[in-house]
Amino acid sequence: MEITIRSEKPEDAASIREMIKRTLNRPDEARLVDTLRNSGNITCSCVIINNSTKAVVAYAAVSPLNANINGSDATGGRITPLLVDSTCQGQGLGSKLIATITEMCDQANLPFIMVMGNPNLYSKFDFAPAATYNLKATGDMGDSFLLRKGPGFQQPTETTTAYCTSDFELLDHSRQYDMLIKQFDALRDTTKNIVSRMSTLAALLHNSMAYNSWTGFYLYQDDELIVGPFQGPVACLKLKKDTGVCWHALNSGESTVVGNVHDFPGHIACDASSCSEVVVPCYDKDGRIYAVLDIDSYEYNAYNQDDAAGLEKLVKLLVED
């Protein structure tokens, strides 16, 4: 495969987005890159282009990493993501990508760059455990960062924390629910009518969560699941008994997260474009299930257990005084 390695251009954005989602099989990192780019928090980035297809087959980006080192402010960089398309791995593109992005960081005079990855691979490019240099970082990577010294690097005399941009909070699904709970708690306080509360919660979630294609409730009445308040395209009015994700969550009494609904036995495709789903049982004050909250997405692996836990807290507010 003949390739071109160069800096990212604006017209690469769509191809980068699709490559990231295809390779990681989840949308979060692609959304993060778009957010970093839009907020001006990409210091430098590079792509590898397949000359035949003109598609992006590898990508690396660096965002700011700020620390106060020995009393002086210093801005280094965090490499994320650094990805090779799943169809092009094993061809040495990863090493070419690391060599290019580290050179770009040196040209930008970054005093240090940090990354999370295979130490055996990154050691070839002068990366070592960040703790060796008395540096650690916040967020999803914790103390597992590797560090490469850049121009003018000064080692901290004591353990120092480097801070990522707040854009990385997008990777932590749990963070959004504190605000959603506060919002819904204030909204529901105006009425005890359960239909009004369910309608409001469906609207709040549908317009606040990043990946929802359908957000709503199926009501459990007379041993049936029938559609209740919802947001999104027209849905199945009634779900075939003991079939699909909603019935599974009702019968088990537990929240169910499905990364790929097409692999779920008996999945009911009210919308053929749906790819992932989370369903949360709704309990009344006597501990009986009266409905399920059902959320679908056109993205694979859009939800995780943090979403399930946050949604469980929200549906409890439906029946609280």
Side-chain angles (χ1 to χ4, degrees):
M1 177 174 63
E2 294 186 2
I3 61 171
T4 297
I5 305 177
R6 58 166 171 77
S7 297
E8 174 187 352
K9 296 179 179 179
E11 57 265 32
D12 297 325
S15 185
I16 290 169
R17 184 182 308 114
E18 291 308 309
M19 187 276 290
I20 295 173
K21 290 197 293 184
R22 182 172 59 250
T23 301
L24 295 179
N25 197 30
R26 59 179 184 265
D28 284 346
E29 284 78 4
R31 180 181 171 218
L32 172 63
V33 168
D34 286 340
T35 302
L36 289 168
R37 187 186 296 117
N38 292 336
S39 63
N41 280 319
I42 291 184
T43 306
C44 54
S45 58
C46 62
V47 294
I48 297 181
I49 304 293
N50 181 330
N51 290 346
S52 294
T53 65
K54 306 303 180 184
V56 173
V57 294
Y59 178 70
V62 176
S63 58
L65 201 56
N66 298 305
N68 186 283
I69 297 178
N70 303 330
S72 298
D73 291 335
T75 299
R78 170 179 175 171
I79 303 176
T80 189
L82 191 147
L83 288 174
V84 175
D85 193 306
S86 54
T87 63
C88 301
Q89 294 176 2
Q91 301 181 42
L93 298 186
S95 293
K96 289 182 172 65
L97 199 60
I98 297 170
T100 301
I101 199 67
T102 52
E103 182 180 352
M104 293 175 74
C105 289
D106 286 345
Q107 291 173 351
N109 290 315
L110 298 185
F112 62 92
I113 50 175
M114 297 171 75
V115 69
M116 177 66 173
N118 184 338
N120 292 329
L121 171 61
Y122 280 96
S123 64
K124 300 174 185 177
F125 299 91
D126 300 322
F127 283 86
T132 304
Y133 303 103
N134 285 338
L135 270 172
K136 62 179 184 177
T138 58
D140 54 306
M141 300 300 185
D143 295 331
S144 300
F145 273 109
L146 303 171
L147 182 144
R148 179 181 182 273
K149 295 185 291 184
F153 175 74
Q154 292 187 16
Q155 182 168 324
T157 56
E158 56 186 32
T159 301
T160 299
T161 301
Y163 294 90
C164 307
T165 168
S166 61
D167 292 340
F168 282 89
E169 294 175 3
L170 293 174
L171 299 178
D172 182 1
H173 286 207
S174 66
R175 298 184 67 93
Q176 66 185 321
Y177 289 101
D178 287 343
M179 180 58 68
L180 287 171
I181 289 168
K182 289 179 181 178
Q183 288 178 295
F184 182 57
D185 195 27
L187 291 166
R188 75 180 181 96
D189 196 44
T190 60
T191 180
K192 290 183 172 59
N193 183 281
I194 190 67
V195 175
S196 295
R197 287 182 170 186
M198 294 169 88
S199 300
T200 299
L201 181 56
L204 176 64
L205 294 175
H206 195 73
N207 289 282
S208 300
M209 297 174 70
Y211 307 124
N212 297 18
S213 60
W214 194 92
T215 310
F217 293 88
Y218 275 92
L219 310 177
Y220 184 48
Q221 297 178 356
D222 300 324
D223 205 28
E224 293 182 331
L225 278 175
I226 58 174
V227 73
F230 71 89
Q231 298 273 310
V234 173
C236 300
L237 271 70
K238 183 171 70 173
L239 300 180
K240 183 179 179 181
K241 184 173 173 57
D242 297 332
T243 303
V245 184
C246 287
W247 273 105
H248 179 273
L250 188 148
N251 290 332
S252 68
E254 297 180 349
S255 298
T256 303
V257 179
V258 180
N260 183 349
V261 295
H262 307 296
D263 291 340
F264 192 89
H267 168 61
I268 299 173
C270 298
D271 182 346
S273 297
S274 294
C275 291
S276 61
E277 187 171 1
V278 55
V279 180
V280 177
C282 304
Y283 289 88
D284 63 21
K285 291 182 178 179
D286 296 320
R288 295 172 298 200
I289 297 177
Y290 65 91
V292 295
L293 170 62
D294 180 21
I295 300 178
D296 300 333
S297 176
Y298 293 148
E299 302 281 0
Y300 290 105
N301 297 300
Y303 310 107
N304 58 36
Q305 292 301 323
D306 287 338
D307 293 291
L311 294 168
E312 287 168 4
K313 294 177 182 178
L314 280 162
V315 299
K316 286 180 180 179
L317 295 176
L318 289 167
V319 294
E320 288 186 2
D321 294 332

